Amino acid sequence: MKLYIDPGTGAMLFSLATGLISVAWFGARKLYMKMKYRTAGNVKVDAATTPFVIFSDNKRYWKNFDPVIRELDKRGIDMVYLTQSSDDPGLSSPYPHLHGEFIGEGNKGLSRMNFLNATIVLATTPGLDVYQWKKSKEVKWYVHMQHGANEMTTYRMFGIDFFDGLLVSGQYQIDDTRALEKLRDEPAKDMVLVGIPYMDDIVTRLKKNPAPEHDTTVLVAPSWGESTILRKFGSRIIEVLLETGYHIIIRPHPQSYITEMDMLQPILDAFPASDQLEWNTDLDNFDVMNRSDILISDFSGTIYEFSLAFDKPVICMDTKFDDSPYDAWWLDTPRWSTTAIPRLGQILTEENMENLKNMIDECLHDEKYRKLRCEVSAETWVYPGEGAVRVADYLEDKYHEITGESLRKDKN
């Protein structure tokens, strides 16, 4: 008879085992360090601490880190980049001050993070100290930087609670977080408005790479989960889009290929690639967004990249978003995106889907949407063009505050 352990129990047992191992590890390590430096004068017990670590749980977040790393490298600041993707671009980057290392996928990589010895850790991964990724007692400061341009309350519940610092792009994100802290009786976190470094990069790339000549192109780029376009509309929306005569590109969320193949595979089989229909899986979405004229999505963060950085209209599905698993459930105020998305384009429902071609044409040609995009941008993208510099400034200042030292090699 085989022993079955459900996923929840397995996660609990893993966390328990990790905790016990951590206690033993840190005890042995501290004893070793004391013995090693017993006669070393003023050398600190934590002399082996890595000053600054960047953690990425997936290669697709390299675009978020790249502009920040570039700025830190320019300042001569050494960084350790720990990734859970063996083919992460960061492992072969040209930056001389960046040391990249593949730490393993899943729990193997997270175990490494749970034993980490560092002064500051920067990550876009939420859920610190909630799931398998636990805070290390040997890390002084955890910083979260968003990987999107929308609210932070659509992370899974308690997704940002245990970070020490949050780097955000809009005042509403600060207001939401402060409200959650008050409701949960938590201490106030460091929250700094820095902007969105990777969207700054998009604008820079666009100036060098204008959109190529192309037929009218519609990009469908959903998120993943139960409340998304492909889950709700399935094959029907693809049929309607093909009837428009426009070129159609469908770009499923990368997570769908991992956890939603039961939904996705029948659609892939029913609608193979053709001259009119294209399935896109590029790691970097710049080219596909650059040659598309309008985006159809749900609550994916791609909405804001496309509408604000590329300055193009979107059509968003009326998802009837279920906020019960998310931090948004705690708040009485409406999610910011519920007021932002209707200003970026039109809302797609089952009832108006047959009119989708007319909706696309209106969004492409009505200038009011460009003016409304400017409003939304001002609310969620502060300091355009300055994001990487402001993130680097924060990290340098925080390191000096913690240690009294400088991250730069050429300074005392």
Side-chain angles (χ1 to χ4, degrees):
M1 177 175 154
K2 294 182 179 180
L3 177 63
Y4 170 75
I5 299 177
D6 66 87
T9 303
M12 180 183 69
L13 291 175
F14 175 82
S15 299
L16 176 61
T18 299
L20 293 173
I21 295 171
S22 298
V23 171
W25 169 265
F26 289 124
R29 185 183 180 282
K30 286 188 176 181
L31 178 61
Y32 165 74
M33 294 299 289
K34 287 179 181 178
M35 293 176 63
K36 182 175 180 180
Y37 295 109
R38 181 175 295 173
T39 60
N42 293 324
V43 178
K44 297 179 181 179
V45 170
D46 62 352
T49 298
T50 302
F52 179 52
V53 170
I54 298 171
F55 169 55
S56 177
D57 67 287
N58 192 287
K59 63 183 179 182
R60 64 179 176 267
Y61 301 122
W62 172 249
K63 70 176 184 181
N64 299 83
F65 293 117
D66 187 22
V68 175
I69 290 171
R70 189 187 318 126
E71 176 63 27
L72 292 168
D73 183 76
K74 186 170 66 175
R75 300 182 185 195
I77 293 174
D78 291 335
M79 300 156 277
V80 175
Y81 181 75
L82 303 180
T83 175
Q84 291 194 274
S85 294
S86 60
D87 56 347
D88 192 308
L91 297 175
S92 57
S93 78
Y95 305 118
H97 292 279
L98 183 68
H99 170 71
E101 184 178 343
F102 171 56
I103 59 174
E105 300 176 355
N107 288 337
K108 180 181 178 181
L110 293 179
S111 294
R112 170 72 182 277
M113 295 303 300
N114 297 344
F115 293 121
L116 191 63
N117 187 9
T119 302
I120 294 177
V121 174
L122 174 69
T124 61
T125 308
L128 174 65
D129 233 24
V130 179
Y131 303 111
Q132 281 84 356
W133 181 26
K134 302 300 182 183
K135 296 183 80 169
S136 168
K137 294 179 181 179
E138 299 294 329
V139 171
K140 305 294 189 300
W141 199 258
Y142 284 94
V143 182
H144 177 78
M145 181 176 69
Q146 284 183 279
H147 57 251
N150 54 339
E151 60 263 273
M152 306 185 85
T153 56
T154 50
Y155 285 141
R156 292 279 174 171
M157 211 169 282
F158 311 108
I160 56 174
D161 282 36
F162 301 105
F163 284 92
D164 302 297
L166 304 178
L167 303 179
V168 299
S169 64
Q171 181 60 42
Y172 70 94
Q173 297 160 349
I174 296 179
D175 296 341
D176 286 347
T177 303
R178 294 292 183 234
L180 287 172
E181 290 171 341
K182 185 176 180 180
L183 285 168
R184 297 170 181 169
D185 194 24
E186 295 175 345
K189 287 177 277 294
D190 243 6
M191 296 196 72
V192 181
L193 286 163
V194 296
I196 310 175
Y198 82 93
M199 282 180 40
D200 294 339
D201 257 20
I202 291 174
V203 173
T204 300
R205 290 178 70 181
L206 279 170
K207 292 176 181 178
K208 299 176 181 178
N209 302 278
E213 290 293 327
H214 60 277
D215 295 333
T216 299
T217 300
V218 181
L219 172 62
V220 181
S223 187
W224 67 281
E226 294 300 320
S227 303
T228 61
I229 285 179
L230 293 181
R231 281 282 186 191
K232 185 171 182 178
F233 295 144
S235 298
R236 182 59 187 145
I237 189 169
I238 301 176
E239 293 171 350
V240 172
L241 284 171
L242 291 174
E243 290 171 2
T244 67
Y246 296 143
H247 185 69
I248 310 301
I249 304 174
I250 305 177
R251 180 183 168 86
H253 193 281
Q255 188 66 27
S256 294
Y257 288 98
I258 299 172
T259 59
E260 298 187 309
M261 286 305 291
D262 61 324
M263 173 275 295
L264 185 58
Q265 191 61 58
I267 299 176
L268 290 167
D269 293 340
F271 297 94
S274 65
D275 290 341
Q276 187 185 4
L277 177 63
E278 177 183 343
W279 291 90
N280 181 269
T281 57
D282 294 346
L283 175 62
D284 184 352
N285 62 7
F286 178 86
D287 287 336
V288 71
M289 297 175 83
N290 196 24
R291 58 189 175 90
S292 299
D293 299 291
I294 188 168
L295 169 70
I296 298 179
S297 189
D298 35 55
F299 54 88
S300 169
T302 304
I303 293 167
Y304 304 102
E305 294 177 39
F306 192 86
S307 61
L308 306 184
F310 287 86
D311 192 24
K312 297 175 182 179
V314 300
I315 293 176
C316 291
M317 183 184 77
D318 182 11
T319 61
K320 300 295 190 296
F321 184 77
D322 177 13
D323 64 6
S324 58
Y326 305 98
D327 273 329
W329 178 86
W330 288 71
L331 301 179
D332 294 330
T333 53
R335 289 182 292 111
W336 173 81
S337 58
T338 62
T339 66
I341 289 175
R343 289 179 281 167
L344 299 176
Q346 297 200 31
I347 303 300
L348 177 66
T349 66
E350 291 181 352
E351 290 72 28
N352 65 15
M353 188 182 297
E354 298 303 322
N355 195 40
L356 186 52
K357 185 178 187 303
N358 291 334
M359 295 169 64
I360 291 171
D361 292 343
E362 181 179 343
C363 286
L364 288 174
H365 299 108
D366 193 331
E367 283 297 312
K368 73 177 180 182
Y369 293 113
R370 177 167 281 111
K371 295 178 182 178
L372 291 171
R373 288 197 293 274
C374 290
E375 288 183 8
V376 173
S377 183
E379 295 168 7
T380 197
W381 189 3
V382 298
Y383 308 124
E386 303 176 23
V389 171
R390 288 179 175 272
V391 172
D393 286 346
Y394 171 83
L395 295 170
E396 276 205 87
D397 292 344
K398 182 55 63 176
Y399 184 82
H400 183 266
E401 178 185 322
I402 294 171
T403 68
E405 301 172 355
S406 173
L407 273 171
R408 302 197 197 197
K409 293 291 186 181
D410 59 347
K411 289 188 175 182
N412 295 325

